[in-house]
Amino acid sequence: GLHYFNVLGTALILTMLAGCYHYLIDRAQAALRAMASTDPLTQLRNRRSVFEAIRREESRVRRGQPHLSFVLCDLDHFKAINDRRGHDAGDDVLKCVSESLLAGVRDVDYVARWGGEEFLAVLPDTDTQGAALVADRLRRSVEALTPKVGSECLRVTDTLGIATLADGETAEQAIARADAALYEGKRGGRNRVVVAAAP
């Protein structure tokens, strides 16, 4: 009886240890996945992660789901903030803007740091008119921000370009059109929303 008790006890202990081991491994893998898909500064999706989401949404459109729009956002005169007040101030501005952008979209939308001071919002089931409304709301929310650097409150604005995926167009091509619209807005005076020309 003692022998069977020892065998059973050992088996239970090994089972518990194996369960703990697998739990820790699963947690570590989840943490690594999060690190691989998240921008460390803003905690938004990174470029690689948002492209995976774009591919899924692009497939839905190809299967007949309505519309997929992109809003590309670039902060105005951001280099001047870094140059005059330092990169820590720039980082604080990026974090503040990220929170504002994320708060301004739906749960089904995606917001990612596209690179530097650029952000991309992916809006499923949203046509150009709807995307323009979202973009202007995001523009106004950023304009209303007053991130504090030391004793000074900064004024931040952004320029946004919009494109809706067209028939026969890839997501990359639509984003390139949004980028062209964004730079048209920069040339036109900044702090504005510009809808991309049709492909």
Side-chain angles (χ1 to χ4, degrees), residues 115-149:
E117 66 273 20
E118 270 193 331
F119 301 88
L120 177 70
V122 182
L123 311 177
D125 302 330
T126 306
D127 62 11
T128 303
Q129 184 178 3
L133 292 173
V134 172
D136 193 57
R137 183 171 70 240
L138 296 177
R139 184 195 63 77
R140 285 185 280 110
S141 72
V142 169
E143 187 179 30
L145 294 174
T146 53
K148 195 167 184 180
V149 176

Side-chain angles (χ1 to χ4, degrees), residues 29-46:
Q29 287 177 337
L32 287 172
R33 280 194 297 271
M35 286 172 59
S37 62
T38 305
D39 175 65
L41 176 65
T42 63
Q43 299 305 304
L44 296 177
R45 286 175 177 263
N46 61 23

Side-chain angles (χ1 to χ4, degrees), residues 55-69 123-127 164-167:
R55 290 288 171 250
R56 290 193 300 271
E57 296 300 334
E58 198 175 13
S59 296
R60 290 179 67 241
V61 172
R62 302 289 180 240
R63 295 195 303 269
Q65 295 296 321
H67 309 298
L68 175 62
S69 291
L123 311 177
D125 302 330
T126 306
D127 62 11
T164 300
L165 189 68
D167 289 341

Side-chain angles (χ1 to χ4, degrees), residues 50-100:
V50 80
F51 252 116
E52 293 172 2
I54 287 169
R55 290 288 171 250
R56 290 193 300 271
E57 296 300 334
E58 198 175 13
S59 296
R60 290 179 67 241
V61 172
R62 302 289 180 240
R63 295 195 303 269
Q65 295 296 321
H67 309 298
L68 175 62
S69 291
F70 303 96
V71 177
L72 199 58
C73 162
D74 186 80
L75 299 185
D76 298 327
H77 304 297
F78 183 73
K79 186 176 183 300
I81 295 173
N82 277 335
D83 290 347
R84 293 176 189 165
R85 294 173 178 85
H87 288 280
D88 287 345
D91 288 350
D92 289 342
V93 169
L94 289 174
K95 287 187 273 192
C96 190
V97 168
S98 299
E99 291 171 7
S100 177

